[in-house]
Amino acid sequence: MVQNPLTSLADDVAATNFALARQDGPTVLVAHSYAGTVISQAGLAPNVTGLVHVAARAPEAGEDFAALAAKFPTPPVDSGIVTANGFRFLSEQAFLRDFANGVPRKEALELYAVQGSLSTAPPTTSVAAWHRKPSWYAVSKGDRTIDPGLERFMAKRMKATTVEVDAGHLSLVTHPEAIGRLIMQAAAPS
């Protein structure tokens, strides 16, 4: 597991590359939300055998993700984004209602308490590893953070093996079995 510092895309990719260098075998990168941008950049490492995006961004090389997202309905979470000192995070109300919809309140409050602040610097990738690596995508049908139509668009553009989960943005928390099956499918030898 990589703990992204969230200070910049470059720092997050460096953390991922550091973790990849310590792996001694084939590795599947799994990402949720913003971290999909990170694996789109870092996923060309030679030991990476596949990419799994779980309700995640999957930008094209050089793509302005905000401009792409603007072509789809604005997700409800956007009204709760707070920006301060070069970072952004979610208000408690937006986190509980939109980011963690479907997660039991006690667990959602715990997740809210440990949310990281994301740099406001545009996270523009120079590559899109999904062009060269097999890819899987889990669409969250009830997502209030990334429009499900945008998720479907990215999955189709990636030519990803796709599943749809009847879940909010945190499908990996609310539907771990479905997400686990998708990851295991990606990790199975071809």
Side-chain angles (χ1 to χ4, degrees), residues 68-126:
L68 173 63
K71 296 176 182 178
F72 294 83
T74 302
V77 79
D78 283 13
S79 66
I81 296 173
V82 179
T83 303
N85 302 318
F87 289 88
R88 63 180 167 251
F89 56 93
L90 295 176
S91 69
E92 181 176 346
Q93 180 181 6
F95 191 97
L96 298 177
R97 181 191 65 220
D98 303 318
F99 191 83
N101 60 315
V103 176
R105 182 171 174 79
K106 182 179 184 296
E107 188 174 3
L109 283 168
E110 292 168 357
L111 293 170
Y112 168 73
V114 296
Q115 81 169 297
S117 296
L118 182 64
S119 171
T120 57
T124 305
T125 59
S126 59

